[in-house]
Amino acid sequence: MAQYTSASTALAVIRLRNPPVNALSLPVLQALEDGLKRADADPSVKAIMICGENGKFSAGADIQGFSLPKTRGISLGHFVSLIERCEKPVVAAIEGVALGGGLEVALGCHYRVAHVKARMGLPEVTIGLLPGGEGTQRLPRLIGVPAALDIITTGRHIPATEALKLGLVDEVVEENTIEAAIRLANKVIGQPLEPRRLSLRPVPKLPNMEAFLSEALVKLKKQARRYLAPELCFQAVRAATELPFADGVRKERELFNVLLTSGQAQALQYAFFAERAVQKWTTPHGSSWQNASPQPIHKAAVIGLGTMGRGIVTSLVKASIPVVALEQNLEYLNTGRKAVMLLLEREAMKMEQGAQTLDFHNPARLQFTVDFDALRDVDLVIEAVFENMPLKKEIFQKLSRICKPAAFLCTNTSALNIDEIASATSRPQQVVGTHFFSPAHIMRLLEIIYGHHTSPTAIATAVQLGKVLKKVGVVVGNCFGFAGNRMMFPYVEQAVFLLEEGSRPEAVDQVLEDFGFKIGPFRMSDLAGLDVAWRSRKGRGLAGDSVPPGTPARQRHGRRYSPLPDLLCENGRFGQKTGKGWYQYEKAGGRTAKPDPWLHNVLTQYRDTHHIKTRFIDQEEILERCLFSLINEGFDILAEGIASGPEHLDVIYIHGYGWPKHRGGPMFYASTVGLPRVLAKLQRYSEAHPDVPALRPSTFLKKLVAVGNPPLKEWMSYLSRPSNKL
Ligand code: 3HC
Ligand code: NAI
């Protein structure tokens, strides 16, 4: 709805009302139109102000509404034009957010006043769309093509101060925005409106417009990787530079409809709601976000300043949480300190107001130590030492003795059993997994793992910590590899099996990169370091001296196994760090991967030795075996109650594993492929490779197909009683 009131006899106020973010649903827009007509018809009204309820202007069109057929075909532009054509001055009072259609409504107004804390933007591109309320035509006319193109193609939110500099708003106020807008409205009564109607303005010229646009397009295409929206946003803005306003609007509508009906927009809108859904966590024991409260974290500690620890410290400092950073000895401490300081310097430079906002030179905010006694007063500890169970247990036992009883003890283990780690303490209810992703100060995913004894308060505190660190926290149960890595294992396994059977790293990577992954499995493995998984395999008795004599080279525990990655490690090929892995690099630490004839020869010899008949493997098989085995594991995870819904797995993959967001996540992708097809393909591959359990279709997947392939949001209702492995 939109509420019509008067601030004085001369000033009508139209307040957009649709909690929580005043999304522009059809009833809101119709009420806005009614308000405009009423103000127009009332001769005593001399000016109009549009604002939003509850300190928010509007977050734009109702995203839920895009999936409802009845709202299709209603153009927001119609309402924006109505505002602009109004014969009485219309002032937008922008508080909170004016995003997407919300900003387009403000662009239809003749004047804009914003609160200093307001944020504005056209984030449609992030949900697979373009601004479809004539924003692609008005914004370039107001602030010029370069700034408009940046805002529209990135979807970034801009603060009010920047909006003022760009000329997007006329005034920024620190106090009452509504009063400031009323003052401005009274001041402009009677002034000519023609120059304020953006549709009548020309797009400001650039001396080198064509060259600028060509360059921008090349850059966009490089980044977009089959993601349609940025390029169509670009085309709409280009139309503004080439066509009269009305024709530009027609072009915008045409492009908007292409995107609206694209699978990509549906996937991205699904991802938008999935990210919000996972915040409402539940466990099979009945604890949930509704019945658990987080404890405040005034001070934290991080143990181990290696690859992960240094990023975690950086994240905490950035969130203004005082940190104690602890290492095993002075040598490691100094190396860790230097690395943390370097990261913080870089982050400070990236931050808007510069280094002053990151108070990391103050020992009260960031303390480096080798003394566990320094952890006595912290509220939460994050352990990030080597992936080694005895070491982790030793540390947790020590923490349990030293830290205050209320302190939470978190582990950054990537796969180990949370319950076993917790068993070393006298407070297993305070132990929780906080699995960050590398680089920890950049990657947004935080997998939060509860063990058998973890209290709801500990889960809620970890979730709250994730929010404070600006991460996307996803709560999952405890099993080897948790949700993310457990699904990754079969994916990587298939990639290696494909090499055995005749493919090459570059061919497999290409297929998955074409699908939209930032890097394929072999480039990823070279980046992360092959030695990490090798150590883990040796620890689990799969590789090295602990393998019992007489074990067939390509079999472990009756299942197919590939010793190829072990072979590379035995040759000192750990990936980028050694300059050689699945690819060769210009030097140790180099980043440019080149196909390596050495590896191709080794593959040929390997196939000969093991009598594997080489065959040509097409792209479809590469894609399906890698992705469907990963998805298959996802169905098992759901059936076991490790994750409480497919959205959780999708959010994990989008934010932790570089899954292309415009494909919605692996489980969403499976729903678009169709579960019967996924099942049929898995059955076929499983028959061809009976010794590969990961290809054997999950019972839950089979059940969903048997009940008629229901939509993703109904999947969980087919699990009669979610069993929990705990
Ligand atoms: N439509 C429908 N629901 C919306 C919405 C929208 N545009 N924006 C937010 N919501 C819902 C969320 O789903 C959430 O619902 P829930 O409480 O049931 O989970 C609730 O509003 C609160 O949202 P957040 O949890 O995200 O709250 P925050 O305070 O963290 O963030 C926000 C607020 C910055 C406004 C953020 O919600 C956001 O970015 N919203 C989307 C903005 C956007 O993409 N707008 C463009 C829409 S498309 C458009 O306008 C097309 C036009 O050009 C034609
Ligand atoms: P790392 O080897 O880079 O760093 C580990 C650090 O712990 C070293 O600096 C070491 O000196 C320190 N350490 C060892 N024993 C210690 C002790 N007794 N007291 C204090 N410090 C001690 O390891 P990395 O990669 O940072 O991994 C840490 C943890 O994070 C592991 O559990 C790993 O599985 C997990 N993880 C790693 C990821 C990665 O990509 N590297 C991703 C996600 C989780």
Side-chain angles (χ1 to χ4, degrees):
M1 281 288 295
Q3 187 192 29
Y4 185 93
T5 52
S6 314
S8 64
T9 33
L11 187 81
V13 175
I14 301 174
R15 193 178 295 271
L16 307 169
R17 287 177 85 176
N18 187 11
V21 293
N22 300 324
L24 301 171
S25 61
L26 199 52
V28 172
L29 291 170
Q30 277 163 348
L32 170 66
E33 180 170 1
D34 292 347
L36 289 170
K37 284 184 180 156
R38 192 167 151 189
D40 199 33
D42 184 345
S44 66
V45 170
K46 303 290 180 219
I48 303 162
M49 184 187 61
I50 301 181
C51 59
E53 178 91 337
N54 279 336
K56 288 178 187 126
F57 190 75
S58 166
D62 184 350
I63 303 173
Q64 292 277 15
F66 288 132
S67 55
L68 308 174
K70 65 177 175 162
T71 57
R72 290 204 178 146
I74 306 278
S75 157
L76 175 66
H78 159 77
F79 300 94
V80 178
S81 292
L82 274 184
I83 301 171
E84 194 191 81
R85 282 203 304 270
C86 211
E87 289 304 333
K88 300 172 182 179
V90 186
V91 180
I94 301 173
E95 297 173 297
V97 286
L99 296 172
L103 184 59
E104 290 174 301
V105 163
L107 288 170
C109 297
H110 306 118
Y111 297 89
R112 287 157 290 278
V113 176
H115 188 264
V116 67
K117 290 200 174 136
R119 285 179 294 145
M120 282 150 264
L122 293 172
E124 286 86 344
V125 69
T126 63
I127 51 168
L129 297 173
L130 55 79
E134 306 179 355
T136 63
Q137 306 304 298
R138 279 196 180 82
L139 193 63
R141 287 174 159 80
L142 180 61
I143 64 171
V145 173
L149 194 63
D150 168 50
I151 289 174
I152 292 170
T153 56
T154 63
R156 73 185 176 91
H157 295 185
I158 58 168
T161 43
E162 185 182 347
L164 184 67
K165 276 190 208 140
L166 289 172
L168 177 51
V169 296
D170 302 290
E171 212 177 294
V172 168
V173 293
E174 291 193 5
E175 300 300 327
N176 192 318
T177 317
I178 305 290
E179 281 172 13
I182 292 174
R183 272 197 304 277
L184 181 65
N186 282 323
K187 202 167 96 186
V188 297
I189 290 171
Q191 289 189 14
L193 286 175
E194 292 306 279
R196 307 297 308 181
R197 299 192 218 274
L198 297 180
S199 67
L200 303 182
R201 288 195 194 172
V203 172
K205 293 217 169 346
L206 280 181
N208 52 353
M209 184 71 88
E210 216 18 75
F212 168 80
L213 288 174
S214 315
E215 211 174 292
L217 181 60
V218 170
K219 217 165 114 192
L220 265 184
K221 278 191 164 167
K222 208 167 145 198
Q223 287 163 357
R225 312 179 65 90
R226 290 171 186 252
Y227 171 22
L228 279 178
E231 196 177 331
L232 268 61
C233 282
F234 171 88
Q235 286 179 25
V237 174
R238 186 164 62 191
T241 69
E242 291 170 347
L243 303 172
F245 185 82
D247 294 340
V249 164
R250 258 191 293 281
K251 182 75 183 169
E252 178 193 276
R253 243 169 244 174
E254 189 186 299
L255 295 168
F256 183 82
N257 285 329
V258 171
L259 289 175
L260 190 59
T261 49
S262 75
Q264 295 195 357
Q266 277 151 29
L268 285 155
Q269 286 158 32
Y270 160 82
F272 175 86
F273 289 112
E275 273 168 32
R276 279 142 189 93
V278 299
Q279 293 173 23
K280 296 173 182 162
W281 60 271
T282 55
T283 71
H285 313 297
S287 49
S288 79
W289 65 285
Q290 281 167 308
N291 57 26
S293 309
Q295 291 296 307
I297 302 303
H298 301 297
K299 189 172 180 184
V302 176
I303 308 186
L305 301 178
T307 310
M308 296 306 291
R310 48 191 73 165
I312 299 171
V313 171
T314 304
S315 273
L316 290 162
V317 173
K318 272 179 75 183
S320 301
I321 299 176
V323 191
V324 181
L326 186 142
E327 255 294 350
Q328 58 175 325
N329 60 38
L330 286 174
E331 193 188 335
Y332 274 102
L333 186 73
N334 282 333
T335 313
R337 185 206 312 259
K338 275 190 206 134
V340 168
M341 287 310 197
L342 195 65
L343 287 180
L344 283 167
E345 304 280 358
R346 280 196 208 139
E347 290 303 303
M349 274 166 56
K350 278 195 237 158
M351 283 172 77
E352 208 194 348
Q353 288 127 322
Q356 287 93 330
T357 53
L358 278 188
D359 188 11
F360 55 92
H361 294 293
N362 176 354
R365 314 288 307 176
L366 175 57
Q367 179 191 352
F368 290 92
T369 185
V370 290
D371 182 2
F372 271 80
D373 272 346
L375 309 187
R376 284 191 187 283
D377 64 341
V378 300
D379 303 303
L380 179 140
V381 183
I382 301 171
E383 165 277 310
V385 303
F386 304 129
E387 186 77 335
N388 174 299
M389 182 58 92
L391 174 64
K392 296 218 188 245
K393 282 171 90 169
E394 185 194 314
I395 294 210
F396 272 72
Q397 197 177 32
K398 220 175 197 172
L399 291 174
S400 173
R401 267 200 330 268
I402 291 170
C403 296
K404 62 186 182 190
F408 297 98
L409 308 181
C410 310
T411 171
N412 188 51
T413 175
S414 34
L416 298 178
N417 189 337
I418 303 294
D419 289 331
E420 193 177 340
I421 295 174
S423 72
T425 74
S426 54
R427 55 176 101 167
Q429 75 284 358
Q430 305 281 95
V431 177
V432 62
T434 47
H435 183 200
F436 290 77
F437 286 71
S438 179
H441 60 298
I442 291 178
M443 294 295 282
R444 287 198 65 214
L445 180 64
L446 180 65
E447 214 179 10
I448 296 163
I449 308 106
Y450 57 88
H452 194 65
H453 299 286
T454 308
S455 69
T457 308
I459 303 176
T461 304
V463 169
Q464 180 59 26
L465 178 70
K467 274 192 197 145
V468 173
L469 300 185
K470 297 200 168 72
K471 307 265 178 216
V472 183
V474 185
V475 175
V476 296
N478 183 23
C479 63
F480 186 71
F482 319 126
N485 282 345
R486 179 169 155 185
M487 288 165 77
M488 183 61 22
F489 297 142
Y491 166 86
V492 174
E493 183 185 67
Q494 284 305 310
V496 177
F497 288 165
L498 288 161
L499 294 197
E500 288 189 331
E501 292 164 38
S503 198
R504 285 183 168 184
E506 43 277 25
V508 175
D509 279 347
Q510 191 63 53
V511 169
L512 288 147
E513 286 161 19
D514 284 350
F515 176 78
F517 275 98
K518 289 200 180 78
I519 47 177
F522 293 107
R523 264 185 249 275
M524 164 66 88
S525 168
D526 274 359
L527 177 70
L530 275 77
D531 51 326
V532 181
W534 190 37
R535 223 175 299 133
S536 162
R537 286 194 299 278
K538 285 198 282 192
R540 286 181 290 141
L542 297 172
D545 298 339
S546 53
V547 178
T551 305
R554 296 179 54 236
Q555 222 185 58
R556 297 290 181 275
H557 311 300
R559 301 163 171 199
R560 178 169 166 189
Y561 176 85
S562 174
L564 266 175
D566 303 332
L567 193 76
L568 262 66
C569 290
E570 284 155 17
N571 280 278
R573 297 177 72 106
F574 293 163
Q576 287 188 5
K577 61 175 91 161
T578 55
K580 287 188 172 78
W582 296 107
Y583 293 91
Q584 56 177 326
Y585 298 84
E586 64 277 22
K587 57 177 193 278
R591 294 187 163 208
T592 315
K594 277 204 321 205
D596 191 345
W598 179 90
L599 185 90
H600 298 157
N601 282 334
V602 164
L603 284 177
T604 310
Q605 284 167 22
Y606 176 90
R607 292 178 196 125
D608 287 347
T609 310
H610 297 288
H611 311 293
I612 306 169
K613 209 162 153 240
T614 306
R615 63 187 177 91
F616 170 73
I617 303 174
D618 64 18
Q619 297 184 355
E620 184 176 310
E621 181 173 347
I622 293 175
L623 192 70
E624 289 177 347
R625 278 180 56 189
C626 291
L627 296 189
F628 291 180
S629 58
L630 178 155
I631 289 165
N632 197 36
E633 195 68 41
F635 281 109
D636 276 349
I637 287 176
L638 293 178
E640 289 169 21
I642 295 289
S644 37
E647 298 86 354
H648 293 61
L649 303 181
D650 287 334
V651 170
I652 286 176
Y653 263 79
I654 289 171
H655 290 292
Y657 295 87
W659 182 281
K661 201 172 182 180
H662 60 268
R663 291 193 187 265
M667 306 318 280
F668 179 86
Y669 175 68
S671 76
T672 62
V673 172
L675 302 191
R677 184 179 157 85
V678 175
L679 175 62
K681 286 303 185 92
L682 279 168
Q683 270 160 342
R684 216 178 83 195
Y685 293 129
S686 178
E687 276 159 27
H689 306 276
D691 52 353
V692 182
L695 291 172
R696 243 171 264 153
S698 144
T699 310
F700 185 34
L701 169 61
K702 285 197 271 190
K703 180 169 181 180
L704 290 173
V705 173
V707 296
N709 188 23
L712 177 142
K713 29 179 201 300
E714 290 172 20
W715 288 358
M716 297 311 279
S717 67
Y718 288 90
L719 281 173
S720 34
R721 203 159 25 90
S723 69
N724 181 17
K725 271 218 149 167
L726 298 175

